Amino acid sequence: MSSDVQLASVYTEEQKEIRIGVRRRSAGSYVLDASLLVLSFLMLSPFLWIISTSLRLPKDSFSLPPAIFPTDFNFNNYAEVFNRVPFADFIGNSLKISLLIVVGHIFISSMAAFAFSRISFPGRNLIFIIFLAGLMIPGQVTIIPQFILISRLGLIDTHWALILPALINPLGIFMIRQMMMTISSTYDEAAYMDGASRMWVFLKVILPMVFPAIAVTSVMTFIANWNDFFRPLIFLNTFEKMTLPLGMTVLTGTFGSGNLSAILAGVTLSLVVPLLFYIFGQKYLVEGITAGGLKL
């Protein structure tokens, strides 16, 4: 009987310790959630201000003290964006250029990564290191030889002037190659023993395994070219061929005298497509970036 009482007391003490631990973990989780909520609000506050200002009346954009939320919702600012500039054409141009760059870049980068990770040839690692050295060269340094080459090819004021130089990016090759290095060579050997060709191994065996790295590279490449302002400013002259970042400068008006609410309405609309791409690829970001640093 005494042993039962002792067991009951021990069981009761364990229950108390578990309850105290649960309470402590719950309190800590509440503090963590509150901290993350505050940080999320601070990070999202610029976007909230952009959306809020895009819905204000133009006269309320510079009111003091500034209001967080608009008092009168004015959706005419979004209509003004399409009335003042061919906004749909700008979106189409940016979407066309960015998607073609992503497709070509993934095709070239994945094949180069396969060569650097799965094919043994003399000087492979040295060539790869020299290739990565291109990451240290700013794009502004190479813009003059690019312009000379593009002009001699007769591609000035065409979208190909933006697409062709952007197809090769050492960062994309590096990320895909690093994930391929984590794949065991037994997959290749088994496929070769079954009579598979090198291209079949690349397309059917290795490429599906590195989809997270491809997704991350695709998102990064798309957003970088979607937001690019410098190269379209150099290569494009015709108003109808301009990309979204370049064409939206018309909304600012002469000496920046444009309607701020309409400008931020255009900015809000320009965020929709990159946001969709990010939502599609965000679950692969951590996996792809982590795998990219496992083996060099």
Side-chain angles (χ1 to χ4, degrees):
M1 186 69 177
S2 60
S3 61
D4 294 337
V5 173
Q6 290 178 355
L7 288 174
S9 62
V10 171
Y11 182 72
T12 304
E13 292 295 330
E14 290 179 352
Q15 277 188 326
K16 290 181 179 178
E17 292 179 358
I18 292 173
R19 290 175 182 175
I20 293 172
V22 169
R23 290 175 182 174
R24 289 176 180 174
R25 286 196 296 270
S26 299
S29 63
Y30 288 145
V31 173
L32 179 61
D33 292 342
S35 302
L36 293 176
L37 186 62
V38 172
L39 291 175
S40 300
F41 177 77
L42 292 176
M43 296 180 66
L44 292 174
S45 56
F47 298 98
L48 296 176
W49 184 84
I50 290 174
I51 297 173
S52 177
T53 305
S54 69
L55 296 172
R56 303 180 198 274
L57 293 172
K59 64 182 181 63
D60 296 332
S61 300
F62 300 96
S63 61
L64 292 176
I68 299 177
F69 300 103
T71 55
D72 296 322
F73 290 88
N74 182 24
F75 292 96
N76 292 329
N77 296 323
Y78 290 87
E80 184 178 349
V81 173
F82 290 92
N83 293 331
R84 292 190 57 184
V85 297
F87 196 80
D89 293 338
F90 294 158
I91 293 179
N93 293 336
S94 293
L95 196 60
K96 166 191 169 184
I97 293 171
S98 300
L99 288 178
L100 286 177
I101 290 175
V102 168
V103 173
H105 171 65
I106 294 302
F107 179 73
I108 295 174
S109 297
S110 58
M111 288 196 300
F114 182 81
F116 281 122
S117 62
R118 320 301 290 186
I119 302 175
S120 298
F121 55 88
R124 182 184 68 174
N125 294 333
L126 178 61
I127 295 174
F128 182 69
I129 293 175
I130 296 174
F131 191 77
L132 285 183
L135 291 173
M136 296 185 292
I137 303 175
Q140 290 78 5
V141 175
T142 60
I143 194 64
I144 294 178
Q146 279 187 26
F147 185 85
I148 295 174
L149 178 61
I150 293 298
S151 62
R152 290 183 178 178
L153 292 175
L155 298 177
I156 294 295
D157 198 27
T158 65
H159 291 163
W160 290 108
L162 304 176
I163 296 172
L164 294 178
L167 293 179
I168 300 177
N169 188 351
L171 181 60
I173 298 175
F174 170 77
M175 293 186 64
I176 299 175
R177 180 255 189 190
Q178 293 306 98
M179 195 165 188
M180 286 184 179
M181 293 289 289
T182 63
I183 300 174
S184 174
S185 60
T186 55
Y187 293 98
D188 310 53
E189 295 170 357
Y192 289 139
M193 289 179 63
D194 290 338
S197 63
R198 182 167 289 170
M199 182 59 68
W200 194 94
V201 172
F202 166 67
L203 294 175
K204 300 295 184 179
V205 179
I206 302 301
L207 205 59
M209 293 184 178
V210 296
F211 181 76
I214 291 176
V216 173
T217 306
S218 301
V219 173
M220 293 173 57
T221 303
F222 180 87
I223 294 178
N225 289 279
W226 178 272
N227 295 327
D228 188 17
F229 177 81
F230 179 68
R231 294 191 306 124
L233 180 64
I234 300 296
F235 292 113
L236 298 180
N237 302 321
T238 306
F239 187 67
E240 291 75 15
K241 296 180 181 179
M242 290 183 178
T243 57
L244 187 58
L246 184 60
M248 282 184 56
T249 56
V250 180
L251 292 174
T252 60
T254 306
F255 301 108
S257 60
N259 182 358
L260 180 60
S261 298
I263 295 172
L264 294 183
V267 172
T268 303
L269 292 174
S270 68
L271 293 174
V272 174
V273 176
L275 182 62
L276 293 176
F277 265 80
Y278 178 78
I279 291 174
F280 170 75
Q282 60 88 23
K283 66 179 180 179
Y284 301 106
L285 285 175
V286 175
E287 182 179 355
I289 294 174
T290 303
L294 291 179
K295 188 175 181 180
L296 178 63

